[in-house]
Amino acid sequence: MLSFLRLRPNPNRLRQQFLERFTGRTLIVHEGFPPEWLEELLKQPGGGGHFRLDVRQINVRKPSPIEWFVREHVLPLGLPLPLLVRVSPPELRVRHLRRGNHAVHPSEIQWFLEELDTRAHATLRVTDTGFTAEPGIPVSDNEAKSMLDHLGL
């Protein structure tokens, strides 16, 4: 009789709550870091301002809006973790932070943010019913071009 009370989360409500909470923020979606990586991130200008979500701790039964967003829209992109997500509707830009078998150095994140409008691995466009994914640069391309240009390389 009480089965009607076990309603599935409303995707429209979760999307609205996610966007209200995280618009203007950047997320780092990961599955754990070596301790020195996180320590180095926190030393970087603005490094502590990125919201970090460990996908190993996502609540599947009753997801928060960010857990729902990551599980339903970010992880299906199939990009290597960790990921940088800039939440700036109407487009959310996604770029992986992996080079070879390791996460890039945290100091490169600022360079990735600088070029994210033109060099994202995926774009999630906000629609009336959800998010539409569009591919971007190849997964194999993860150089910080703006950093290399700045260094004259």
Side-chain angles (χ1 to χ4, degrees), residues 120-137:
H121 288 107
T123 298
L124 295 168
R125 296 197 189 282
V126 180
T127 68
D128 291 339
T129 58
F131 298 94
T132 301
E134 297 175 5
I137 63 174

Side-chain angles (χ1 to χ4, degrees), residues 10 17-18 40-41 46 58-59 72 107 124 149 153:
N10 180 330
Q17 290 173 332
F18 168 75
E40 188 62 34
L41 174 67
I58 289 180
N59 182 341
E72 297 295 321
S107 63
L124 295 168
D149 291 344
L153 300 175

Side-chain angles (χ1 to χ4, degrees), residues 7-17 68:
L7 300 174
R8 296 185 65 181
N10 180 330
N12 290 329
R13 182 160 169 71
L14 287 168
R15 183 181 75 247
Q16 177 185 1
Q17 290 173 332
W68 167 83

Side-chain angles (χ1 to χ4, degrees), residues 100-119:
N101 294 326
H102 305 287
V104 300
H105 191 273
S107 63
E108 291 186 61
I109 291 175
Q110 197 59 38
W111 296 106
F112 286 144
L113 285 169
E114 184 177 301
E115 62 188 31
L116 202 53
D117 285 337
T118 58
R119 294 186 39 78

Side-chain angles (χ1 to χ4, degrees), residues 70-100:
V70 168
R71 187 182 72 204
E72 297 295 321
H73 300 285
V74 174
L75 294 179
L77 296 171
L79 294 169
L81 297 176
L83 295 168
L84 182 66
V85 181
R86 184 175 59 210
V87 183
S88 293
E91 301 169 344
L92 287 68
R93 303 289 182 157
V94 182
R95 178 129 177 204
H96 75 78
L97 298 175
R98 197 153 201 81
R99 189 171 301 118

